Amino acid sequence: YTYYAVPPSAATSQPAYAFVHVLDLREGWAHCLDLPAPWGAGSQSAIGIAVSPDGGDLWVTDRELGTVALVDTEELVVARTADIDPVLPYSTVASAGPDGHLYVATGKDITVLGRDTLAVEDTTRLLQSHDEPTPGLRRLVVRATTPAATAGRFVLVATRD
């Protein structure tokens, strides 16, 4: 899955838009899944994409615009969207946890979203001393600390430059 944003065109009056390119190498097909407005109007660094452990869900987040989309990967449709608090100007990474939650990290915080509602269930600040953002955040990994993910204990590992 790859996120693409197309900037607005003054020449054609085309507004900004975005889509997720889906490529199936086993079956040999590609598909472009359009995302609803206002996708495409924000910064590329604010985009986070995560796939659920079972591959059935794809989440796309834009922390600059404050929106999240849940995509059904079987039907290749946007199942639902929700608004979340925007966070500026930090880069964004996302990871789907084994508990069915989406974890979205910026240089400022990690936000936990529920799958069924896309509502924010928790936020943990990542700020260092003097409220400086964590620089160069590149990847977020969510792993269960026990074999049974329902035990509710997870390790969040954020990597940076």
Side-chain angles (χ1 to χ4, degrees), residues 4-19 34-41:
Y4 290 95
V6 179
S9 169
T12 64
S13 299
Q14 173 72 39
Y17 68 95
F19 61 93
D34 291 327
L35 295 170
W39 289 95

Side-chain angles (χ1 to χ4, degrees), residues 48-53 59 61 93-105 110-113 139-143 155-157:
I49 296 179
V51 180
S52 64
W59 285 277
T61 65
V93 292
S95 183
D99 60 347
H101 287 85
L102 175 65
Y103 295 81
V104 182
I110 295 177
T111 301
V112 182
L113 302 172
R139 192 174 112 182
L140 178 69
V141 179
V142 182
R143 296 284 185 254
V155 175
L156 302 174
V157 179

Side-chain angles (χ1 to χ4, degrees), residues 7-161:
S9 169
T12 64
S13 299
Q14 173 72 39
Y17 68 95
F19 61 93
V20 173
H21 187 254
V22 182
L23 181 62
D24 188 315
L25 296 176
R26 282 178 276 166
E27 295 184 21
W29 56 262
H31 179 77
C32 292
L33 174 69
D34 291 327
L35 295 170
W39 289 95
S43 168
Q44 293 281 346
S45 67
I47 303 301
I49 296 179
V51 180
S52 64
D54 67 2
D57 293 323
L58 171 73
W59 285 277
V60 185
T61 65
D62 185 326
R63 290 307 305 263
E64 181 179 349
L65 299 177
T67 189
V68 60
L70 176 64
V71 174
D72 178 325
T73 61
E74 289 294 318
E75 299 294 323
L76 294 178
V77 296
V78 175
R80 63 183 166 277
T81 62
D83 294 329
I84 56 176
D85 288 336
V87 176
L88 297 174
Y90 310 110
S91 61
T92 301
V93 292
S95 183
D99 60 347
H101 287 85
L102 175 65
Y103 295 81
V104 182
T106 65
K108 179 182 175 184
D109 62 27
I110 295 177
T111 301
V112 182
L113 302 172
R115 183 206 179 278
D116 295 331
T117 63
L118 297 181
V120 174
E121 294 183 4
D122 194 13
T123 299
T124 301
R125 293 178 59 89
L126 292 178
L127 292 180
Q128 301 169 357
S129 61
H130 309 295
D131 276 351
E132 291 296 323
T134 304
L137 196 59
R138 294 284 180 229
R139 192 174 112 182
L140 178 69
V141 179
V142 182
R143 296 284 185 254
T145 59
T146 61
T150 56
R153 296 182 184 255
F154 300 94
V155 175
L156 302 174
V157 179
T159 60
R160 59 183 179 172
D161 293 340

